Amino acid sequence: VDVLVEDVARDLLYVVGDFTEADGESIDQVGAWDGNNWTNLNSGISGTLYDAVLFEGNLIVCGSFLQNSAFQTIGIWDGSNWSFDNPFSGTLSGITALEVVGDSLWLAGYYDGFPGRVHYLASYDGSMFRQQACLDLNTWRVDGRIETICEFQGKIYIGGNIKEVTSPYVFQPVL
């Protein structure tokens, strides 16, 4: 189990990780636990999942996985069905971490382009996508992926496979 997400409104605990079974039930990486029984979320997702959060009543998962015969980076579970309509399509090649800050969903991701992989942070308020920070390779040595985002005292902190920085990896959100 890699991520646990509580859904108070539905009285469920979402469990995300690299597993295919829970208490004898077939669960493909994403399941819901009601305290007594497991529910497989519509056959789940096949691939690698990095993170999950609850945003606007939906379970949002990110990673690198195949669904509907296509490569996906984000999945949205509305309580009944999965949607893979990525509102960030064309913006990010990959999404590696998620965090809800206030009324916004924060994403850490990357895109592959010239001169190579560029990592950055973005926020989504339900209708508008905003780039918050671009982590260029001249300032940051992100050798793997950003693995976590956290808001603390009005600032955004990131963690992951970051080898060195010329300034602290703290961002003042753009509102």
Side-chain angles (χ1 to χ4, degrees):
V1 174
D2 297 316
V3 183
L4 300 171
V5 178
E6 181 182 18
D7 186 339
V8 174
R10 293 184 180 102
D11 196 24
L12 294 172
L13 178 65
Y14 295 112
V15 181
V16 178
D18 187 17
F19 56 90
T20 57
E21 185 178 302
D23 288 337
E25 294 288 327
S26 177
I27 307 286
D28 190 9
Q29 295 188 317
V30 183
W33 173 249
D34 68 5
N36 296 306
N37 299 298
W38 286 99
T39 301
N40 186 12
L41 300 186
N42 197 25
S43 77
I45 293 174
S46 295
T48 302
L49 297 178
Y50 298 130
D51 206 355
V53 296
L54 201 64
F55 180 66
E56 295 183 341
N58 299 313
L59 177 69
I60 313 289
V61 298
C62 69
S64 175
F65 50 92
L66 285 174
Q67 190 69 28
N68 302 328
S69 302
F71 173 75
Q72 305 290 339
T73 58
I74 197 161
I76 303 167
W77 175 256
D78 66 6
S80 301
N81 298 294
W82 283 106
S83 168
F84 300 97
D85 297 329
N86 184 349
F88 322 109
S89 178
T91 308
L92 296 172
S93 299
I95 300 172
T96 58
L98 303 167
E99 179 69 21
V100 176
V101 177
D103 293 334
S104 295
L105 174 65
W106 277 68
L107 306 93
Y110 61 88
Y111 62 90
D112 293 319
F114 181 80
R117 180 164 285 180
V118 176
H119 295 262
Y120 70 92
L121 290 173
S123 64
Y124 180 70
D125 65 8
S127 63
M128 190 163 74
F129 178 80
R130 292 179 190 222
Q131 181 173 325
Q132 297 284 348
C134 184
L135 312 180
D136 66 76
L137 296 178
N138 295 325
T139 307
W140 300 72
R141 282 190 46 216
V142 181
D143 293 336
R145 63 184 170 90
I146 298 170
E147 297 175 356
T148 188
I149 307 168
C150 179
E151 185 270 337
F152 178 66
Q153 295 182 347
K155 295 181 181 169
I156 302 298
Y157 292 79
I158 63 169
N161 195 359
I162 301 169
K163 296 298 182 189
E164 65 183 61
V165 294
T166 57
S167 62
Y169 37 100
V170 179
F171 303 95
Q172 191 68 40
V174 176
L175 303 174

